[in-house]
Amino acid sequence: MISRDRWSSDFSRWFEWILEEAEVYDYGRYPVKGMGVWMPYGFQIRRRVTEILRELHDRRGHEEVLFPILIPESLLKKESEHIKGFEDEVYWVTHGGLDPLDVKLALRPTSETNITYYESLWLKSYKQLPKKYYQIVSVFRYETKTTRPMVRVREITTFKEAHTVHSSFEDAERQLLEAIEIYKEFFDSLAIPYVISRRPEWDKFAGALYTIAFDTIMPDGKVMQIGTAHHLGQNFTRVFDFRINMPDGTLDFPWQTSYGVSDRVIASIISLHGDDRGMVLPHRIAPIQVVIIPIPAGGEEEKRAVLEEAKRIAGKLERAGIRVKVDDREDLRPGAKYYYWEARGVPVRIDVGPEELNSKVYTVVRRDTLERYKVSEESLEREVQALMKDIDSSLYARAHSRHRSLIKRVRSEGEAEEWAKEKKGILELPWCGREECARKLEEKLDAKALGTVWPGERPEGSCICGRESVAWMRYAKTY
Ligand code: P5A
Ligand code: ZN
């Protein structure tokens, strides 16, 4: 059992504590490193997050598919940059039972290769394009950096990968804008703040022309990549000899994009909206939105009456479409129940005791500020709905104001070095566009170049080398 730690001062221990305490994700006990178990409560959160993803992709014409988990070596190796980027992260299946396989099979680290192979069989004409597929699956990466629950796992269990095909470079570029819109809407709906950067050439996805990334700032000030979108050009379609009939009558290789998010999104929700008591969940993804605690007093009969009243109220809220739970456990005192549900991030709590039984005015407590309200029966549903929305906007406001306060724009190396003393959040500095200068700063600041502000913005001021700047380059300590 990990002891309770402070969200603000010892974030990484807090994160491990809350996953266990709130029974979200059992990590570290599984006998394979980098793999965890989604427990029932965590699974409910995860399921609601994937439902949002499905809705967002379906609404914009993406079609859900499911590809095999094994990719033969020959397919995975087709695109040379891609395999160069992934070869030291692939798990290989080499045997079937006792027999060595003639072709090694990879546990997919991502699915560009096997999906492109099928696209080349299915798609013959520009008239079938654009085509947008996605799947939500497990992928496997033999990560060598420090593994962490949800954040850097070796089985990524909630990998939403979208793969699209287009008849022109420009149309693929437009698709990236749509991907960015989808992710903006997704993160906004979960109150997760982000910055969008164009990753530097040397840090783009293996096999891509360029990569646009979403990053968020974790409570400890370190930055985490929470989503990426790649323009793949014709890199994969060429090597798969995937040609289509083009509008001008020629045969040519189509253009592709891919974009993905993972379990890291759930890690961000838990982390960014947490506090010393545990999680605070946005109501859309909260498995339980309202918990009702019967406050016993007096004799058995009164106890029964209070429980009946709690259930009656629960029924009313349920009929209004709210996810409610009455905590009728006999062996726990109300204080222990408060603690229990606060850790699990239930947005609203209602206390029902003998007094409420008579007055029909209930004590309602919001999880984020722990403020209490007296609410009468007639307005209970309305007030609870309003309160949940209000909690969501407060989570949004709190996370975004913290996020903004951790982005620092400077124009001189001196100020950059000042920032490097603490290295909290993101630093932005004018950049001339040459790798050499970014590398120099990475070393000097002991931080990573995240890429340039997207959409592009030309700063006033010059790069550390004295040349005119072409973009703002971001630096941060990263996960
Ligand atoms: C886009 C989808 C891809 O794999 N192929 C299909 C493209 N991009 S990516 O950047 O490599 O990964 C997409 C997102 O997955 C998250 N991620 C991880 N999450 C948890 N554990 C890991 N080991 C891990 N590796 C990558 C990142 O958020 C990344 O943006
Ligand atoms: Zn420079």
Side-chain angles (χ1 to χ4, degrees):
M1 180 68 160
I2 301 160
S3 72
R4 177 169 177 159
D5 267 288
R6 288 174 60 85
W7 177 81
S8 40
S9 53
D10 193 352
F11 166 69
S12 108
R13 290 195 43 169
W14 176 93
F15 186 61
E16 286 178 25
W17 164 74
I18 194 59
L19 294 183
E20 185 176 318
E21 177 72 25
E23 296 172 295
V24 174
Y25 189 73
D26 195 328
Y27 182 81
R29 294 199 281 196
Y30 196 74
V32 180
K33 192 174 133 123
M35 298 185 187
V37 178
W38 286 97
M39 296 176 70
Y41 193 70
F43 190 88
Q44 291 276 326
I45 298 172
R46 177 185 177 276
R47 202 190 77 203
R48 295 205 153 78
V49 170
T50 58
E51 277 165 8
I52 298 176
L53 281 170
R54 286 200 168 86
E55 195 278 319
L56 286 170
H57 286 77
D58 294 350
R59 172 149 50 87
R60 290 178 171 88
H62 296 63
E63 298 172 285
E64 190 167 3
V65 292
L66 185 55
F67 277 72
I69 203 168
L70 296 176
I71 303 180
E73 184 177 24
S74 52
L75 278 197
L76 194 68
K77 285 202 160 155
K78 280 242 177 202
E79 211 290 325
S80 57
E81 289 301 317
H82 189 61
I83 189 62
K84 237 196 272 164
F86 278 105
E87 67 191 346
D88 53 359
E89 290 185 17
V90 177
Y91 282 93
W92 291 106
V93 175
T94 57
H95 286 73
L98 299 176
D99 304 330
L101 301 174
D102 356 317
V103 187
K104 278 202 293 181
L105 303 171
L107 289 180
R108 64 178 161 224
T110 173
S111 307
E112 275 74 7
T113 52
N114 56 349
I115 290 185
T116 303
Y117 172 62
Y118 263 85
E119 287 167 346
S120 77
L121 302 175
W122 293 338
L123 304 173
K124 299 292 173 201
S125 161
Y126 74 94
K127 290 182 187 153
Q128 293 168 279
L129 307 184
K131 200 77 195 171
K132 313 176 203 178
Y133 299 115
Y134 76 100
Q135 59 181 3
I136 306 179
V137 295
S138 273
V139 296
F140 295 82
R141 295 184 183 179
Y142 182 71
E143 296 277 359
T144 46
K145 276 191 169 182
T146 315
T147 50
R148 289 171 198 275
M150 293 185 203
V151 168
R152 180 165 283 107
V153 279
R154 288 179 169 178
E155 178 183 4
I156 311 173
T157 59
T158 317
F159 195 68
K160 189 288 301 171
E161 49 176 331
H163 297 266
T164 71
V165 189
H166 308 269
S167 52
S168 69
F169 174 91
E170 291 76 19
D171 198 54
E173 197 145 68
R174 263 196 299 281
Q175 190 56 41
L176 281 192
L177 296 182
E178 183 178 77
I180 291 166
E181 280 316 306
I182 291 173
Y183 287 167
K184 279 184 175 173
E185 196 176 330
F186 178 53
F187 295 130
D188 287 346
S189 77
L190 298 167
I192 300 173
Y194 48 80
V195 293
I196 306 175
S197 309
R198 183 175 168 136
R199 286 273 184 267
E201 266 303 295
W202 59 90
D203 195 26
K204 64 185 184 187
F205 179 71
L209 293 184
Y210 65 89
T211 292
I212 306 291
F214 285 70
D215 293 296
T216 195
I217 308 171
M218 295 295 263
D220 56 6
K222 285 209 277 181
V223 163
M224 181 167 76
Q225 170 176 299
I226 49 173
T228 37
H230 318 287
H231 196 312
L232 302 176
Q234 297 168 308
N235 292 347
F236 289 88
T237 59
R238 267 181 215 284
V239 294
F240 281 91
D241 195 27
F242 168 21
R243 291 175 216 242
I244 54 161
N245 287 310
M246 288 294 185
D248 64 2
T250 59
L251 268 183
D252 199 1
F253 306 111
W255 305 76
Q256 292 173 307
T257 78
S258 72
Y259 32 102
V261 293
S262 79
D263 308 63
R264 286 186 182 183
V265 174
I266 301 160
S268 321
I269 301 167
I270 294 171
S271 306
L272 296 172
H273 305 319
D275 63 20
D276 290 351
R277 291 168 190 269
M279 306 194 287
V280 185
L281 294 173
H283 80 276
R284 261 185 96 174
I285 57 151
I288 297 165
Q289 297 171 316
V290 175
V291 62
I292 303 181
I293 312 285
I295 312 290
E300 279 305 310
E301 200 164 315
E302 203 171 31
K303 223 174 171 174
R304 215 170 14 250
V306 164
L307 188 57
E308 281 312 307
E309 177 69 353
K311 286 184 178 157
R312 190 179 67 83
I313 295 295
K316 279 191 71 157
L317 294 172
E318 260 160 21
R319 281 190 291 281
I322 298 168
R323 296 190 285 273
V324 193
K325 160 121 191 142
V326 176
D327 188 348
D328 57 2
R329 287 177 290 178
E330 299 247 356
D331 53 337
L332 278 188
R333 298 178 53 79
K337 293 180 182 176
Y338 296 168
Y339 178 93
Y340 182 92
W341 295 109
E342 280 165 8
R344 281 161 181 74
V346 176
V348 177
R349 186 181 94 214
I350 302 177
D351 292 345
V352 177
E355 201 184 304
E356 282 84 357
L357 192 59
N358 297 321
S359 64
K360 307 288 180 211
V361 174
Y362 307 95
T363 305
V364 176
V365 186
R366 59 189 289 170
R367 168 62 183 85
D368 57 342
T369 60
L370 300 178
E371 274 172 284
R372 305 166 152 263
Y373 307 87
K374 292 282 179 194
V375 181
S376 66
E377 176 163 3
E378 307 81 70
S379 52
L380 195 60
E381 291 134 59
R382 208 178 52 240
E383 286 295 322
V384 165
Q385 301 274 19
L387 202 52
M388 292 197 299
K389 287 210 183 94
D390 196 58
I391 293 170
D392 281 9
S393 7
S394 301
L395 289 179
Y396 188 95
R398 171 182 176 246
H400 281 73
S401 96
R402 194 183 146 273
H403 178 83
R404 276 193 302 273
S405 74
L406 288 171
I407 300 175
K408 201 165 160 61
R409 203 163 251 209
V410 304
R411 285 191 167 72
S412 71
E413 215 174 323
E415 291 167 287
E417 277 165 9
E418 199 51 44
W419 172 87
K421 286 181 186 159
E422 288 245 6
K423 283 187 252 217
K424 279 208 182 303
I426 297 170
L427 179 77
E428 296 176 349
L429 208 63
W431 180 51
C432 67
R434 294 183 320 143
E435 177 168 353
E436 190 190 327
C437 292
R439 295 290 201 191
K440 227 181 236 167
L441 269 168
E442 279 187 323
E443 198 163 313
K444 197 161 232 173
L445 305 173
D446 179 31
K448 202 170 138 91
L450 293 180
T452 54
V453 170
W454 187 93
E457 195 188 316
R458 188 187 276 269
E460 299 268 329
S462 47
C463 182
I464 53 161
C465 63
R467 287 183 180 79
E468 205 184 327
S469 60
V470 296
W472 289 103
M473 178 57 100
R474 294 184 167 127
Y475 299 89
K477 269 290 193 198
T478 59
Y479 268 89

